Amino acid sequence: RKEVEQDPGPFNVPEGATVAFNCTYSNSASQSFFWYRQDCRKEPKLLMSVYSSGNEDGRFTAQLNRASQYISLLIRDSKLSDSATYLCVVGYSGGYQKVTFGTGTKLQVIP
Amino acid sequence: EPEVTQTPSHQVTQMGQEVILRCVPISNHLYFYWYRQILGQKVEFLVSFYNNEISEKSEIFDDQFSVERPDGSNFTLKIRSTKLEDSAMYFCASSDTGNSPLHFGNGTRLTVT
């Protein structure tokens, strides 16, 4: 089983749609969870950290289910500028942050 | 907003040559990392560095690779004898604590011919 698994997509959605991505992780000792966004040939950029209680940042909502070992990202009212690859990142801290990336889910928002 | 900077943005080298990729992490960060991404593939962990020593390294990080923090600001990745399969985007990252998110530089694209 892959350490961090994501549906690669692509997800093609119209502007204004709501889209959800899921991610599963295999290491039950994982302690930190993030969603990053990566534009083509650019560096990953932190979108949001994911907390056990769930968290929201504008149009973006992240949820964590530790029992089932999955993380989700919901994007409401999709914009053209949301088109990117969304990377699920899972980490644990053994005195330093070791993070593992999923393969990413590609989102294309269509006019 | 402080950022991680990497140089050069693109490096072309011949197989067998040594390359040094340079990074300046965010100034108050203590944890440093190198990742790589082969075109079309996932971001892969290479090495983490804390307190002037390697914390962990992946299978990719073999004897051809080394890291160094030669002064208070730079963090370098050296590949001693490059191979064609080393062609990738190399990302440097840093974080301020062992639990906080990583901040990535804009990468060095390494092309080995």
Side-chain angles (χ1 to χ4, degrees), chain B residues 14-77:
Chain B
Q14 288 190 326
M15 199 165 52
Q17 296 297 303
E18 174 182 288
V19 293
I20 297 177
L21 310 183
R22 302 181 191 280
C23 169
V24 179
I26 294 172
S27 61
N28 64 338
H29 284 188
L30 301 175
Y31 299 81
F32 314 112
Y33 310 82
W34 282 101
Y35 284 78
R36 81 169 187 192
Q37 187 174 32
I38 294 170
L39 189 63
Q41 297 187 24
K42 62 183 279 188
V43 177
E44 299 176 292
F45 170 75
L46 293 178
V47 66
S48 58
F49 191 87
Y50 171 70
N51 201 26
N52 285 318
E53 61 182 24
I54 291 174
S55 308
E56 188 163 344
K57 57 186 181 180
S58 71
E59 291 174 355
I60 303 167
F61 195 89
D62 61 21
D63 292 344
Q64 295 301 312
F65 290 85
S66 62
V67 289
E68 197 175 35
R69 188 155 161 81
D71 52 43
S73 59
N74 290 286
F75 180 51
T76 62
L77 174 69

